Amino acid sequence: MEQFSDYIVYVDESGDHELSATNTDYPIFVLSFCVFKISDYINSVVPKMQQIKFTYFGHDMIVFHEREIRKQLHPFEILKVEQTRNSFHSELGKLVEESPFTVVATVIRKQEFASSYLSGLNPYHVALEFGLERVFYHLQHRSQRDKKVFVVFEARGKKEDAELELEFRRILDETKIEGMGEMFKFRCVSKQVNSSGLQIADLIARPIGLHVLKPEQSNRAWDGIEPKIRKSPSGNLHGWGLKIYP
């Protein structure tokens, strides 16, 4: 029987990784990794998210998706009422701030990426490799070596999911980092499974991207996320828990 890790990893994205489809207002691609200790996830994170859902929607079948929340699309029309919107966002911010987890993220500046030596590479794959490596370093310092860690992605389509799994396996097969190839297990699931971890990974990706795009702009969501980003012993997050390409 396999020995499973004490941790689980959820991954989601913000923006489009296709270099030919650049949104001038958001010309980046972000891949965010959220690393949860399973006991914290079960006992703290999930119950808090469920409570928010019951408070604002009366049931827990709703799936929190950053784009739908931001644009107040169905079923988030209730957010058109300012008092409800402010209260809801405050609760979500509190959930992220108080939930114990670690963040690793890659931000691709698409225009610069396309005109650099990286131009022949797939931005998603570059982001994925950095994230997996940093998550591995994080977990091996938490006595997870030789344990199986599930890395969970949101499904994007049959073809895309197959390509993602192929790249995931290629990274693990070709890595020179001892032990990394044996640690991670791939899972790809529909957002309709209603995973709290996937929803949090989705909610934090865009605020990270906005901080990189406009670091001088007020960003309350980033303020709650930044303390969770993996850092060096001296407190540096760049290259440790946040990588910006190029």
Side-chain angles (χ1 to χ4, degrees):
M1 181 177 175
E2 290 182 315
Q3 185 177 12
F4 295 116
S5 171
D6 302 321
Y7 292 80
I8 189 164
V9 183
Y10 295 96
V11 186
D12 213 333
E13 64 200 71
S14 174
D16 191 330
H17 68 274
E18 294 294 339
L19 295 179
S20 59
T22 299
N23 179 345
T24 55
D25 293 328
Y26 194 76
I28 58 175
F29 171 73
V30 182
L31 197 63
S32 64
F33 298 71
C34 294
V35 185
F36 294 89
K37 191 171 185 179
I38 291 173
S39 58
D40 292 333
Y41 183 74
I42 293 170
N43 297 319
S44 176
V45 179
V46 174
K48 287 178 180 178
M49 178 166 277
Q50 298 298 82
Q51 182 60 62
I52 294 174
K53 291 181 177 183
F54 279 114
T55 297
Y56 288 90
F57 301 95
H59 60 83
D60 63 345
M61 277 68 74
I62 193 164
V63 178
F64 287 171
H65 197 273
E66 187 276 336
R67 180 180 178 276
E68 294 167 0
I69 293 172
R70 173 166 45 89
K71 293 182 175 291
Q72 300 170 8
L73 302 177
H74 179 76
F76 299 99
E77 302 98 327
I78 64 167
L79 302 181
K80 293 179 180 179
V81 178
E82 183 178 9
Q83 183 177 358
T84 303
R85 181 173 64 252
N86 292 342
S87 175
F88 177 77
H89 283 294
S90 177
E91 289 293 323
L92 273 188
K94 186 177 178 182
L95 168 69
V96 171
E97 289 177 21
E98 295 183 353
S99 294
F101 64 96
T102 299
V103 174
V104 169
T106 312
V107 179
I108 304 289
R109 296 182 183 273
K110 292 172 61 175
Q111 293 172 321
E112 293 88 338
F113 189 98
S115 60
S116 74
Y117 71 97
L118 297 164
S119 59
L121 301 176
N122 184 316
Y124 194 111
H125 297 170
V126 171
L128 177 63
E129 186 164 6
F130 170 83
L132 289 175
E133 289 176 352
R134 274 25 183 213
V135 169
F136 174 77
Y137 293 142
H138 175 72
L139 292 176
Q140 75 169 352
H141 288 296
R142 282 154 181 80
S143 304
Q144 301 305 299
R145 193 75 174 261
D146 301 323
K147 295 182 180 180
K148 298 298 183 181
V149 179
F150 279 98
V151 183
V152 185
F153 300 82
E154 182 176 292
R156 295 175 294 152
K158 189 173 182 180
K159 179 176 180 289
E160 293 86 351
D161 298 345
E163 290 175 351
L164 173 58
E165 183 172 8
L166 186 65
E167 180 62 18
F168 183 93
R169 297 189 185 283
R170 184 200 66 78
I171 291 170
L172 298 189
D173 287 343
E174 297 181 4
T175 183
K176 300 296 191 294
I177 302 173
E178 184 180 352
M180 179 172 146
E182 294 73 46
M183 174 179 280
F184 295 125
K185 294 177 74 70
F186 178 88
R187 287 301 306 271
C188 193
V189 298
S190 165
K191 72 176 184 178
Q192 299 307 321
V193 303
N194 209 343
S195 162
S196 296
L198 276 179
Q199 289 166 74
I200 289 177
D202 172 71
L203 291 171
I204 71 166
R206 185 176 175 85
I208 292 171
L210 290 174
H211 170 75
V212 172
L213 271 179
K214 302 176 180 179
E216 73 290 342
Q217 183 174 293
S218 176
N219 187 334
R220 290 182 61 188
W222 164 259
D223 294 339
I225 296 164
E226 190 276 336
K228 300 182 179 300
I229 297 179
R230 179 177 179 264
K231 298 178 178 65
S232 72
S234 63
N236 182 28
L237 58 83
H238 290 284
W240 283 74
L242 178 64
K243 181 67 175 180
I244 303 171
Y245 285 101

